[in-house]
Amino acid sequence: MSGILEITDVSDGGAVADAMSLFVNSYTCPIKVFCIEMKNKNENVKKRFTSLCIAWFLSLATVRDFDRRNEAAVMFARKLSCIFTQPMPKTVKKVSDGVQSFRFDFQSGESAANLLEQFFEHSDNSGAFVEKMLSEHRTLQQSFSRLCGEWFKTAAGLQGNSSYIKDAIQAERVYSGMPLV
């Protein structure tokens, strides 16, 4: 199977979540490469991804039906929900008028970071991303949660006083990793 997926509209939060599900489901999922690439993005992209991860965990914390495949992610989410209380973003507006496509290599950490950069540039639809991710298989929820947790560790090590760094430091304090399931 080819690792290339054509995403016809990068402002579609559900389509981007589907693509990220393929990335975290790939046997070659290079989380460290993804975090290095995300670390090199502009401040707005890093802030938006950190906010997306927090919104993801706040929504995951409310899940009542879980099992061993995503239990660690739900337990971590519940810890984070005691720290972060902001509501999940509900915005659905597009930032740009033109539909932007993206050729996504779901086996590439660089491509995954670039996809999210494009998503944040063209959309404020993080709510749709989170809702779609909540409907994914529980092992994919755990894998995406691991990606976010590793991002928190990476962002917590960055220099500066940005709010996303402060948020990542708080999240990283309670993150102890997640098992592969």
Side-chain angles (χ1 to χ4, degrees), residues 10-25:
V10 294
S11 69
D12 181 346
V16 173
D18 281 340
M20 289 303 293
S21 291
L22 284 172
F23 173 68
V24 298
N25 194 40

Side-chain angles (χ1 to χ4, degrees), residues 35-101:
C35 288
I36 290 168
E37 291 296 325
M38 186 58 68
K39 181 174 75 169
N40 292 325
K41 299 295 181 193
N42 69 50
E43 292 294 298
N44 185 52
V45 171
K46 292 183 276 195
K47 178 182 178 183
R48 299 271 313 271
F49 182 59
T50 304
S51 294
L52 175 69
C53 289
I54 292 169
W56 160 246
F57 285 120
L58 289 176
S59 293
L60 190 62
T62 66
V63 169
R64 293 182 188 263
D65 188 25
F66 61 92
D67 60 29
R68 294 176 63 193
R69 295 171 292 180
N70 67 338
E71 180 179 24
V74 172
M75 294 300 109
F76 176 65
R78 290 181 178 169
K79 287 179 187 176
L80 280 186
S81 71
C82 295
I83 298 169
F84 300 103
T85 57
Q86 67 193 35
M88 184 179 93
K90 298 285 186 193
T91 54
V92 184
K93 70 175 182 155
K94 289 184 182 180
V95 174
S96 65
D97 291 331
V99 173
Q100 299 292 317
S101 63

